[in-house]
Amino acid sequence: MDGARLEQLRRGGSAALEICVITALYYGSAKAGLLQQLVRNQVTPLWPPSGIAVASLLLRGPRVWPGIALGAFLTNVSLGPSLPAVFAITAGNTLAPLCSYALLRRAGFRNELNRLRDALELIFLGAFTGMLISATTGSATLLLAGVLRTRGFWPTWWVWWTGDAMGVLVVTPVLLVLRSVRRPRDVLPLRWAEGLLLLAAVAGIGFVETSSTPLLFLGYPLLIWAAFRFQLAGAAPCALAVSTFAIIAATRQTGPFAGRDLLTSMITLQAFNGSAALTALMLAAVISERSQTQREIVRACGQLAGMAAKIATSSHHPRLPNGEGELPDGADEKLPDEADRTQEEHGSQAGHSTT
C-alpha cells in the first residue's frame, strides 16, 4: 500500500512539474511574441505559444492542458481589458490547441513528421483549422468588450488567426525535432562544415531581410538546401529563423513593408511566412519519405539476395526423395520424375515381350 501511494505521489509530482514547465514556456514565449505586436499590444503576426501548446499536447498528451490554460491566463490578465474577457480569451487559447491535437490524432499524425501526409495534416488540421477557435473567440471578445470597432474585427481576426497558425507551423516542428534529436555519430567533417555554412547563410539572409532592401525571397534557397540535405532537422529551424526575420522587418517597416498600411503589410508578411513554412515542411517530408523508401528497397534487395544465395547453395546438394539425406558422391542423381519414366519404360518393354 505504501509503495502504491509513493508511486501515485511520484506520478502526481511529475505531472505537476510538467504543467509548471509548460506554463513557464507558454508565458515566456508569449512575452517574446508580444514584442512584435501589431494590434492593441495583444495581437502579433507570430504567436509562439500556440506552437508550444500543440507540441506539448502531442508529446505529453492531453493531461498537460492545465499548463496551457494557466499560461494563457497569466499572459492575458495583464493585457485586459476585463476579467471576464480574460477568461474568454484564455478559454479560446486553450481549446484551440486541444482541437488541433484531437484532429491530428484522429487523422493518424506521427510526431516524426517523416511523411507527406503528416506535413499536410499539421498544416491544414493543426494550424489552419484548430486555430480558428482562438482567433474567433479572441476577436469576438475584444469586440464585445468595446475594445474593437466593428470595422476592425476582420483585420484583428486575420492577424490573430494567421499569427496562431504561423506559431503552429514554425514552432511545433522545431519542438518535435528537438524531442527526437540524438547525438550524431560517425559524421564526416565535411558534413559539419556544411551545417556551419548553412547557419552562416541563414544569419546573412537575416541581415539582408531586416535591411531596407526588399529581398525576402532569398530565404527560399536556404529552405530548399536545408530540406534536401538535413530534412526536417534543418528545414524547421531554418523556416523559424526566416519567418522571424520577416516579422522584424514588418514591425520596423523596412524592405517590402516600407510605406505600407497594416492590412497590406500583414497580407504580404503572412503570405511569405506561410509559403516558407509550407515549402520547408512539405519538402522535408517528401525527402524523408523518399529516403525511407530507398532504405526499404535496399533492405528488401538484401533479403532477396540472401534467399537466392541459400537456394543456390542448397541446389548443389540434392537429397533423396524420402528426405533421409544427401546422395553420395558419384551416385546416380535421378530425379523422381525420371525414375517414374524409367519404370514405365521397363513396364512397357515387359508388356511387349509378354505379347
Side-chain angles (χ1 to χ4, degrees):
M1 186 65 181
D2 293 338
R5 185 174 299 175
L6 289 175
E7 180 65 19
Q8 186 177 4
L9 290 175
R10 187 187 65 82
R11 291 181 179 179
S14 177
L17 180 60
E18 288 181 356
I19 291 173
C20 291
V21 170
I22 292 173
T23 299
L25 291 175
Y26 192 104
Y27 182 77
S29 62
K31 290 299 182 183
L34 289 174
L35 295 176
Q36 309 299 332
Q37 56 78 29
L38 293 178
V39 180
R40 198 193 165 271
N41 296 327
Q42 194 167 3
V43 185
T44 175
L46 176 62
W47 189 240
S50 62
I52 292 176
V54 173
S56 63
L57 291 171
L58 290 173
L59 296 175
R60 307 308 301 170
R63 68 177 183 272
V64 299
W65 73 265
I68 300 172
L70 184 58
F73 176 79
L74 294 177
T75 301
N76 290 282
V77 71
S78 60
L79 302 175
S82 62
L83 193 59
V86 169
F87 281 117
I89 295 174
T90 299
N93 290 345
T94 305
L95 290 175
L98 285 172
C99 177
S100 297
Y101 169 78
L103 291 173
L104 290 173
R105 284 298 179 235
R106 187 172 182 83
F109 176 81
R110 293 182 184 176
N111 294 343
E112 293 78 10
L113 267 174
N114 55 1
R115 302 177 301 174
L116 178 60
R117 60 171 292 181
D118 295 328
L120 294 175
E121 288 166 0
L122 182 64
I123 293 167
F124 292 102
L125 298 180
F128 292 165
T129 303
M131 297 302 113
L132 291 172
I133 298 176
S134 58
T136 303
T137 303
S139 301
T141 300
L142 295 179
L143 180 64
L144 295 175
V147 176
L148 289 179
R149 296 181 179 179
T150 304
R151 63 182 182 181
F153 174 82
W154 288 113
T156 302
W157 183 92
W158 172 261
V159 177
W160 200 310
W161 177 64
T162 54
D164 285 359
M166 289 304 106
V168 175
L169 288 181
V170 302
V171 176
T172 299
V174 174
L175 296 178
L176 295 179
V177 167
L178 292 177
R179 174 64 175 79
S180 59
V181 70
R182 297 291 185 271
R183 183 178 180 180
R185 297 179 179 178
D186 301 329
V187 179
L188 298 176
L190 187 61
R191 188 72 166 173
W192 285 107
E194 184 180 6
L196 293 176
L197 182 60
L198 177 62
L199 183 62
V202 171
I205 292 299
F207 176 78
V208 173
E209 285 187 357
T210 54
S211 64
S212 58
T213 55
L215 298 176
L216 289 179
F217 59 87
L218 291 180
Y220 284 99
L222 296 182
L223 295 174
I224 297 173
W225 177 13
F228 265 101
R229 297 296 294 162
F230 301 97
Q231 283 78 55
L232 188 66
C238 188
L240 176 60
V242 169
S243 298
T244 302
F245 293 140
I247 292 171
I248 293 174
T251 54
R252 293 180 179 178
Q253 294 186 346
T254 59
F257 307 102
R260 306 290 183 181
D261 57 6
L262 175 61
L263 182 59
T264 304
S265 296
M266 282 304 306
I267 292 175
T268 304
L269 174 64
Q270 301 299 45
F272 172 79
N273 287 344
S275 300
L278 292 176
T279 301
L281 290 179
M282 296 181 66
L283 189 57
V286 169
I287 299 301
S288 298
E289 198 170 30
R290 187 194 66 176
S291 300
Q292 180 65 25
T293 302
Q294 290 178 344
R295 287 192 294 268
E296 292 177 357
I297 291 174
V298 171
R299 189 185 306 111
C301 290
Q303 292 175 353
L304 290 175
M307 294 173 62
K310 290 181 180 180
I311 294 174
T313 303
S314 62
S315 65
H316 289 84
H317 302 284
R319 296 179 177 273
L320 292 174
N322 58 4
E324 294 179 353
E326 297 180 357
L327 291 173
D329 294 337
D332 188 10
E333 299 177 355
K334 291 183 178 181
L335 296 176
D337 293 341
E338 293 178 352
D340 294 341
R341 287 197 301 268
T342 303
Q343 292 178 358
E344 291 177 359
E345 290 175 358
H346 287 310
S348 63
Q349 292 176 1
H352 288 302
S353 61
T354 304
T355 305

